[in-house]
Amino acid sequence: MSQLQTVDDVTAIARALPLANNAFINGRFVAASAGKRLPTHNPATGEHITDIAACDVDDVNAAVSAARAAFEAGSWSKRAPGERKAVLLKLAELMEQEVTQLAVLESLDSGKPVSECLTVDVPETIHVIRWHAEAIDKLYDHTAPVGEGAMALVVREAIGVVGCVLPWNFPLLMLAWKLGPALAAGCSVIVKPAEQTSLTALRVAELAHQAGVPAGVLNIVTGTGKAVGEPIGLHPDIDMVSFTGSTATGRRFLHYAAESNLKKVVLECGGKNPALVFADAEDLASVAGHVLNGAFWNMGENCSATSRLLVQDEIKEALLAEMAKQMGDWPMGNPLAPQNRLGSLVSEEHFSKVSGYLETARQEGLRIIHGGDTEQGVYVQPTVIDGVTPASALFREEIFGPVLCVTSFKTEAEAVALANDTPYGLAASVYTGKLNRAIRVSRAIRAGTVTVNCFGEGDATTPFGGYKQSGFGGRDKSVFALDQYTELKTIWIDVPTDDA
């Protein structure tokens, strides 16, 4: 952070940033075919940043045509694994040279704290690209045990043309989670970034082309969900779609697949994630730090955020007291100020949704023990609300903001029942000093990731996705992510035992 000591340092970098604002199709930047544009703003200040191309179905068609032509020509799909690896490593290197600029651009476009972008989002994005590059020439195909009369090969082949539809909460990182394995597999890709946060995806496309990704292999089509996301979902020449976002929108992509070519669909959707804190947890100060990090990191705009704190009766007040001591570690303000850990929400629309839950808490007579208010602009104070029951909307609905809801329990069985009392199943955390309980409860919770005595999502080596309405069809991250971007093919070779 030495190069970003003050908000003035960051602001100076922001003002000097080159801003790509057209779609990237077939290796070059192009305006939307209809000539329309969408304004994009700094959500923290409302200041206009630029106008991006407002693409539509004609631009999606152009991107798909370019992607299909590149895939069939084999400029990427038939390239030797080692060559694809070298290109992706070059992309990671080019991004590494622009860490600071990418971090500032991400913060400017999304309202995320620049310190988080610089120390977490951008380095992890680069790591994911590099990790999948390194995996390319280390994945082996298989033979099946079919006896002497035949040879059966089981091989992976790139699925073809892929649509990647991204959320606005982690624009760069979610791009890497999808782009890394898709390109590693040899696919051609059409990316639709969220219309609120398109600028870093456009810059990465430019760097990818510079690194040697051939024209047509990576296309960025900017615009709204209706104008771009829906045509991607319905396009008959797209072989699969990977989507991260709300469960409601994820459902639409299943409909789109059914209405078109039965393309494969992988969904990473919402969450209502619990942290279960038992009375035998050994270090309440440490637990408090992890719980607050889970709740407030990225302003709670995180599908795996700790939204529900389930705490055993006898230690609830002690844990809340420890949390109160640490609330000062979460300063909120201008995202471009390096000292702030909480920035603005992404938009006025989302601000209205999140702040509405604060009003719900007041109407239900719940105990707001920290925060509970909004500040000028689209800022929501980090908030802790006690006494939330399973009947409350705050317990059941995904808030997607810096709001932590506290519910107490008496027994382990009750804790597990409360944790599973949700249509979601993305993530959970268990805090206990007993190994047997940690294993037992982790297995009982129906969620794709369960952390013990910490908050997190694993790392690039571990799959990420959810149970129930949190996920469908596959996983992001790890070698398992390649499953969604490849098809399995059996090649059966007859081997007669007698040449005569």
Side-chain angles (χ1 to χ4, degrees):
M1 290 290 292
S2 58
Q3 71 272 41
L4 298 180
Q5 292 293 334
T6 68
V7 66
D8 291 338
D9 296 332
V10 182
T11 302
I13 294 170
R15 287 173 177 164
L17 287 171
L19 300 176
N21 56 12
N22 279 324
F24 190 83
I25 298 175
N26 204 22
R28 62 190 183 95
F29 286 110
V30 294
S33 59
K36 296 180 180 179
R37 306 196 72 81
L38 280 173
T40 185
H41 298 89
N42 177 349
T45 64
E47 181 182 358
H48 177 259
I49 302 174
T50 188
D51 294 315
I52 62 172
C55 297
D56 59 22
V57 63
D58 291 332
D59 303 292
V60 172
N61 290 338
V64 174
S65 294
R68 178 60 64 187
F71 184 78
E72 298 299 339
S75 60
W76 184 254
S77 59
K78 297 176 183 176
R79 210 159 171 175
E83 294 177 4
R84 294 203 306 271
K85 170 183 172 179
V87 171
L88 291 186
L89 289 176
K90 179 63 175 177
L91 170 58
E93 179 185 335
L94 293 174
M95 293 177 68
E96 206 157 47
Q97 293 170 11
E98 295 196 7
V99 165
T100 300
Q101 291 87 345
L102 286 170
V104 174
L105 184 58
E106 188 87 325
S107 176
L108 187 71
D109 204 24
S110 68
K112 296 166 66 73
V114 70
S115 56
E116 289 285 344
C117 296
L118 187 62
T119 59
V120 179
D121 291 48
V122 180
E124 185 62 20
T125 295
I126 294 167
H127 174 64
V128 169
I129 296 291
R130 187 170 280 134
W131 192 92
H132 283 288
E134 292 287 359
I136 289 174
D137 58 2
K138 300 174 183 66
L139 296 172
Y140 290 80
D141 293 324
H142 304 276
T143 61
V146 297
E148 294 295 319
M151 175 176 288
L153 307 179
V154 182
V155 299
R156 288 181 183 268
E157 294 183 349
I159 197 169
V161 175
V162 170
C164 297
V165 182
L166 308 181
W168 45 254
N169 57 334
F170 290 94
L172 270 174
L173 194 52
M174 295 302 98
L175 175 67
W177 280 18
K178 300 182 187 304
L179 196 61
L183 291 181
C187 298
S188 293
V189 184
I190 297 101
V191 174
K192 184 221 170 290
E195 58 264 34
Q196 302 93 335
T197 54
S198 297
L199 299 182
T200 47
L202 292 168
R203 180 56 183 154
V204 169
E206 195 171 13
L207 294 176
H209 189 65
Q210 183 180 337
V213 174
V217 172
L218 172 58
N219 307 274
I220 311 291
V221 185
T222 55
T224 65
K226 180 67 175 177
V228 176
E230 182 175 324
I232 286 175
L234 289 169
H235 203 290
D237 205 24
I238 290 179
D239 298 295
M240 71 86 61
V241 167
S242 180
F243 167 82
T244 296
S246 72
T247 298
T249 303
R251 291 177 189 273
R252 295 178 192 167
F253 280 95
L254 296 179
H255 284 286
Y256 298 152
E259 293 167 11
S260 56
N261 60 336
L262 284 180
K263 60 177 62 66
K264 290 188 175 179
V265 176
V266 174
L267 306 177
E268 196 278 283
C269 298
K272 191 64 180 174
N273 313 292
L276 289 69
V277 183
F278 291 91
D280 54 36
E282 293 178 344
D283 184 346
L284 285 189
S286 174
V287 171
H290 283 296
V291 169
L292 293 178
N293 187 43
F296 301 145
W297 175 51
N298 203 54
M299 293 74 67
E301 295 173 332
N302 179 13
C303 53
S304 63
T306 299
S307 180
R308 295 182 293 151
L309 172 58
L310 310 179
V311 56
Q312 204 151 20
D313 277 340
E314 54 261 49
I315 60 163
K316 186 184 82 168
E317 294 304 325
L319 178 59
L320 294 179
E322 288 290 346
M323 290 166 56
K325 294 176 186 177
Q326 298 183 33
M327 289 301 300
D329 297 337
W330 290 89
M332 182 178 72
N334 184 351
L336 298 184
Q339 71 273 18
N340 287 328
R341 295 182 69 186
L342 285 161
S344 70
L345 299 190
V346 74
S347 67
E348 291 183 4
E349 179 184 13
H350 188 57
F351 170 81
S352 296
K353 172 183 179 288
V354 174
S355 58
Y357 284 102
L358 304 181
E359 181 59 31
T360 297
R362 295 187 184 92
Q363 291 174 356
E364 293 183 1
L366 301 175
R367 174 191 174 203
I368 300 175
I369 58 178
H370 191 91
D373 288 320
T374 62
E375 297 187 6
Q376 185 174 3
V378 290
Y379 291 85
V380 172
Q381 293 177 348
T383 297
V384 180
I385 302 172
D386 188 21
V388 179
T389 70
S392 172
L394 280 80
F395 186 94
R396 311 207 68 79
E397 298 175 9
E398 185 178 37
I399 298 173
F400 222 66
V403 180
L404 176 64
C405 303
V406 182
T407 305
S408 60
F409 65 85
K410 290 182 170 58
T411 67
E412 180 181 307
E414 183 186 4
V416 170
L418 287 168
N420 288 333
D421 186 14
T422 171
Y424 299 109
L426 186 58
S429 301
V430 178
Y431 298 88
T432 176
K434 294 181 178 179
L435 178 60
N436 287 344
R437 169 171 278 163
I439 296 171
R440 186 170 60 242
V441 174
S442 295
R443 287 177 171 172
I445 294 173
R446 295 190 53 75
T449 298
V450 180
T451 58
V452 176
N453 293 330
C454 64
F455 165 78
E457 298 174 350
D459 63 13
T461 69
T462 58
F464 183 82
Y467 288 28
K468 299 188 279 187
Q469 294 183 33
S470 287
F472 178 91
R475 293 291 190 263
D476 287 320
K477 299 198 303 172
S478 82
V479 294
F480 295 100
L482 289 164
D483 292 346
Q484 60 194 5
Y485 301 106
T486 56
E487 294 277 20
L488 283 181
K489 175 179 283 186
T490 296
I491 300 176
W492 185 279
I493 305 168
D494 190 40
V495 183
T497 56
D498 186 350
D499 287 339

